[in-house]
Amino acid sequence: DTAVSQTPKYLVTQMGNDKSIKCEQNLGHDTMYWYKQDSKKFLKIMFSYNNKELIINETVPNRFSPKSPDKAHLNLHINSLELGDSAVYFCASSQGVRARNYEQYFGPGTRLTVT
Amino acid sequence: GQQLNQSPQSMFIQEGEDVSMNCTSSSIFNTWLWYKQDPGEGPVLLIALYKAGELTSNGRLTAQFGITRKDSFLNISASIPSDVGIYFCAGQSIATSGTYKYIFGTGTRLKVLA
């Protein structure tokens, strides 16, 4: 069974569209994350939820909105897509946010291409 | 945003050689972690370090949490072709305000020549 899964794996869309990426973890973890990896492979954290509460909200355009319906799911919705949003988006989860619980497990990534 | 500086940025080595890479920051972290990313996949955790000065091994990999808490090192002994990939360090801390910080390094791209 896949520990952290993301859908879709590939997403090609036009500028101005709205799209969502879904993430699910079956590890029983309390904390989930969204990362953006650009073409230079730099990994940047975007958001983190702990027990459905937003705990990390980095400076990203407000066109990006995370939603956590429960501890096992963290979705990412992007409005009015722009060319610069093209990247690989990774979901991750960790047991929690206390000491020795920060080890993150990553999903396979969603490659978003905006044309 | 802040990023951790990793060195070297990339390296080509011969199979069987030992590899060393490091990660430095201007900020203190409470936890240092090392991940490896294979092409087309997400990063996978290799080693986690929780205490300044801690030295931890995982097979041929050894990592250390710097005494100053501002750096960490990863060594790979007797490299093999499957060691190829991008190695990321990551630092984690919680400010007194309760703000969480989780930052990844710029990555070290390793290529192993058979």
Side-chain angles (χ1 to χ4, degrees):
Chain A
D1 284 342
T2 304
V4 181
S5 59
Q6 296 178 228
T7 55
K9 186 162 177 64
Y10 300 96
L11 183 54
V12 182
T13 188
Q14 291 184 329
M15 281 195 311
N17 285 348
D18 303 339
K19 291 292 179 185
S20 292
I21 307 172
K22 296 186 177 182
C23 178
E24 177 181 1
Q25 55 95 2
N26 62 7
L27 297 167
H29 287 169
D30 288 342
T31 311
M32 297 185 72
Y33 311 79
W34 275 112
Y35 287 86
K36 179 181 180 181
Q37 186 171 47
D38 62 22
S39 57
K40 295 183 179 179
K41 304 297 186 184
F42 293 147
L43 265 170
K44 187 174 184 302
I45 193 166
M46 301 172 69
F47 304 102
S48 177
Y49 274 76
N50 183 55
N51 281 322
K52 295 171 53 181
E53 177 189 354
L54 184 65
I55 60 169
I56 295 178
N57 186 7
E58 292 293 325
T59 306
V60 299
N62 56 16
R63 298 181 294 103
F64 290 79
S65 54
K67 283 187 173 54
S68 182
D70 54 59
K71 286 197 310 184
H73 297 85
L74 180 61
N75 303 323
L76 183 64
H77 188 75
I78 314 170
N79 289 328
S80 303
L81 278 156
E82 300 177 357
L83 292 176
D85 297 333
S86 296
V88 181
Y89 292 84
F90 286 102
C91 176
S93 72
S94 68
Q95 191 171 352
V97 290
R98 295 185 176 184
R100 300 184 183 265
N101 285 340
Y102 298 112
E103 300 165 14
Q104 294 187 8
Y105 295 79
F106 282 77
T110 296
R111 181 174 293 278
L112 171 65
T113 303
V114 182
T115 61
Chain B
Q2 182 184 0
Q3 279 179 325
L4 305 179
N5 293 315
Q6 282 188 244
S7 177
Q9 186 177 14
S10 62
M11 54 196 312
F12 288 82
I13 60 167
Q14 292 285 342
E15 183 177 358
E17 286 184 351
D18 296 343
V19 175
S20 292
M21 61 189 78
N22 65 60
C23 188
T24 59
S25 168
S26 57
S27 304
I28 290 174
F29 287 98
N30 297 326
T31 304
W32 283 93
L33 306 102
W34 285 91
Y35 293 83
K36 182 193 176 198
Q37 185 177 24
D38 291 329
E41 298 184 10
V44 174
L45 181 70
L46 299 174
I47 292 179
L49 302 158
Y50 298 101
K51 189 176 175 182
E54 180 180 353
L55 186 71
T56 298
S57 293
N58 178 8
R60 294 178 296 107
L61 277 60
T62 302
Q64 185 161 24
F65 192 140
I67 290 292
T68 65
R69 295 167 62 194
K70 292 183 178 181
D71 55 13
S72 181
F73 305 87
L74 176 69
N75 295 318
I76 305 173
S77 62
S79 57
I80 59 178
S82 62
D83 289 336
V84 67
I86 304 177
Y87 291 80
F88 290 101
C89 63
Q92 178 282 329
S93 66
I94 302 177
T96 51
S97 62
T99 303
Y100 294 90
K101 189 163 61 175
Y102 207 108
I103 300 173
F104 272 76
T106 49
T108 293
R109 290 136 185 84
L110 179 64
K111 296 191 178 181
V112 180
L113 306 173

